[in-house]
Amino acid sequence: MTVHLLTPRHNDILELAREQGRVLVEDLARHFNVTPQTIRRDLNELCEQRLLARTHGGALMPSGTENMEYEARRKIAAEEKHAIGKAAAGLIPDKASLFVNIGTTTEAVSDALLGHDGLLVITNNINVANRMRIYPSFEVIIASGVVRGSDGGIVGEAAVDFIRQFKVDFAVIGVSAIDEDGALYDFDFREVKVAQAIIANARHVILVSDSTKFERSAPVRIGHLSQVGTFITDRCPLPSVRTLCRDAGVRLLETSVR
């Protein structure tokens, strides 16, 4: 690995990546008033030093074995998550029962569901419960367990036992990483146990994940893409995943193919 001295622009790019979670070539070119080719060289140098990780059209803070800050994750692919949320909400009818697990994309789904009527929502996500509880036509049930300070997720064996009491129409789940063989991963083994219980106790599982999850890694296996009924993403760049969805009968919905 060649070590390059960081220029002032490199430092500014890193600061923007820390604030936003992800940076895009076109946005950086406009911000610094330079060509996209110049920004691509900057990003390549920063990625060579493992200060950033390359993504489609830009770069993000490398995941490593630690999950990035929740507020930074909210900002990554925010428009894509909004579109994914609308698409997922369109599959869920009024008066349905559903699980919603931890994640910024699942929160986007909960936002898109606010126009629905008569939902029974069971969640281990305090943010989702707090957002949906004020709507009188919803019944919101929140899991018991350990509350994670970083993101308001409720995890642990008590949460797993709580989820197992129900059998619902839909589960809306998010993940931290998707491998090219269709394996689904997350960072916290306690969260994974809850997600596995959610998958096992729903009649139809909807996986919502933006395309940056194909470029990340995480250490704990949740399960496999073949266990879900519908996979909604902004774009699926991996032919192997497309083939897997087709062969396993998983409905693949892409909201913004580019």
Side-chain angles (χ1 to χ4, degrees):
M1 179 179 68
T2 303
V3 177
H4 302 276
L5 292 176
L6 295 185
T7 67
R9 189 171 61 240
H10 287 168
N11 285 315
D12 289 343
I13 290 171
L14 289 174
E15 184 60 32
L16 287 170
R18 277 189 286 268
E19 291 175 359
Q20 301 172 12
R22 180 175 73 156
V23 289
L24 298 175
V25 170
E26 296 299 330
D27 291 346
L28 291 174
R30 283 192 295 270
H31 180 82
F32 293 106
N33 195 27
V34 296
T35 66
Q37 290 78 10
T38 297
I39 293 298
R40 289 190 188 96
R41 284 196 296 271
D42 289 339
L43 295 183
N44 288 339
E45 290 178 9
L46 291 168
C47 291
E48 282 178 14
Q49 299 182 67
R50 298 181 183 175
L51 297 172
L52 292 177
R54 206 71 161 89
T55 68
H56 177 77
L60 48 70
M61 298 302 293
S63 57
T65 58
E66 297 282 333
N67 208 352
M68 65 179 65
E69 291 294 329
Y70 201 65
E71 287 306 315
R73 284 163 53 197
R74 283 183 192 274
K75 296 174 183 177
I76 295 175
E79 291 183 9
E80 290 85 347
K81 289 173 183 175
H82 177 74
I84 291 167
K86 286 182 63 177
L91 301 179
I92 298 171
D94 290 341
K95 299 181 172 40
S97 58
L98 63 149
F99 292 128
V100 181
N101 84 335
I102 304 166
T104 55
T105 311
T106 58
E107 286 184 26
V109 178
S110 73
D111 279 339
L113 286 168
L114 296 180
H116 279 51
D117 182 63
L119 297 179
L120 171 63
V121 180
I122 302 148
T123 184
N124 66 325
N125 185 329
I126 281 180
N127 304 309
V128 167
N130 204 38
R131 182 177 283 114
M132 303 188 84
R133 67 178 172 79
I134 61 175
Y135 290 80
S137 73
F138 296 163
E139 182 173 0
V140 180
I141 303 174
I142 193 163
S144 58
V146 177
V147 181
R148 226 168 33 190
S150 61
D151 60 6
I154 300 171
V155 296
E157 286 302 317
V160 173
D161 291 341
F162 179 86
I163 292 297
R164 286 174 176 160
Q165 297 179 79
F166 300 92
K167 187 74 174 183
V168 300
D169 301 319
F170 297 92
V172 178
I173 66 165
V175 298
S176 292
I178 304 173
D179 205 354
E180 61 182 13
D181 67 357
L184 310 175
Y185 293 94
D186 224 307
F187 289 90
D188 186 340
F189 74 93
R190 299 170 303 168
E191 180 179 342
V192 163
K193 291 293 185 185
V194 179
Q196 289 170 339
I198 285 173
I199 291 170
N201 289 280
R203 296 180 180 90
H204 187 97
V205 178
I206 302 173
L207 171 64
V208 291
S209 178
D210 68 86
S211 56
T212 65
K213 302 299 169 57
F214 292 109
E215 299 154 348
R216 299 186 70 199
S217 61
V220 190
R221 193 178 194 273
I222 297 172
H224 194 265
L225 189 56
S226 59
Q227 294 174 267
V228 313
T230 302
F231 174 32
I232 307 177
T233 183
D234 54 304
R235 51 182 291 276
C236 179
L238 300 181
S240 61
V241 171
R242 290 180 178 279
T243 300
L244 191 157
C245 287
R246 185 186 67 240
D247 293 348
V250 178
R251 184 182 182 189
L252 173 62
L253 297 178
E254 296 173 276
T255 59
S256 58
V257 179
R258 289 181 292 181

